[in-house]
Amino acid sequence: MARSIKKGPFVDHHLMKKVDAARGSSDKRPIKTWSRRSTIVPDFVGLTMAVHNGKQHIPVYVTENMVGHKLGEFAMTRIFKSHSAVGKRTEEAVGGERRPPPGTQGPAAPAAAPAAAPAAAPAPAAKK
């Protein structure tokens, strides 16, 4: 559920003090914060925030498009390791060679054996 418009966006007071001090002195150093829950307000635009992700501070340069979002949205807390390619794991486990995708130039493939003529279907048995 969204926050009431009457209350306005939530920003931690200690973070707002740091932002006001940086604006007053034209300081370009990143502002370190642990406040991932704070909403980005127009006063933050043009500043760099170092948002803590649980392990380290991630530098986030605030732009106009970020206004209204939370600081934590821009500092991911989990690292995504990509999914394995389709069939890659099974081929490596079996020991098969990696083949280039169809339609691309790769190493010369061994010639395939000629296809045998399809076997004729057996005739239905005669009724007695």
Side-chain angles (χ1 to χ4, degrees):
M1 190 164 187
R3 186 173 165 92
S4 169
I5 301 228
K6 179 174 73 172
K7 293 180 184 178
F10 175 81
V11 181
D12 275 325
H13 295 292
H14 58 86
L15 178 60
M16 205 60 197
K17 284 182 189 176
K18 291 180 182 181
V19 169
D20 290 339
R23 284 261 179 230
S25 65
S26 300
D27 195 6
K28 293 294 180 185
R29 289 182 294 163
I31 299 171
K32 246 186 197 183
T33 184
W34 284 260
S35 178
R36 299 171 55 84
R37 63 187 181 171
S38 293
T39 305
I40 298 174
V41 292
D43 294 343
F44 294 5
V45 174
L47 296 175
T48 302
M49 304 282 193
V51 184
H52 198 255
N53 72 349
K55 183 177 180 181
Q56 60 189 3
H57 288 276
I58 307 296
V60 176
Y61 180 75
V62 181
T63 61
E64 289 182 24
N65 294 337
M66 296 179 181
V67 173
H69 292 267
K70 304 284 185 178
L71 280 172
E73 293 180 46
F74 302 103
M76 298 296 121
T77 58
R78 295 182 176 102
I79 299 171
F80 174 71
K81 306 284 186 181
S82 65
H83 298 292
S84 64
V86 176
K88 176 181 175 186
R89 190 176 306 169
T90 56
E91 285 181 13
E92 288 177 357
V94 173
E97 292 182 352
R98 300 270 317 195
R99 293 182 206 109
T104 60
Q105 294 296 329
K127 292 184 181 180
K128 289 187 183 181

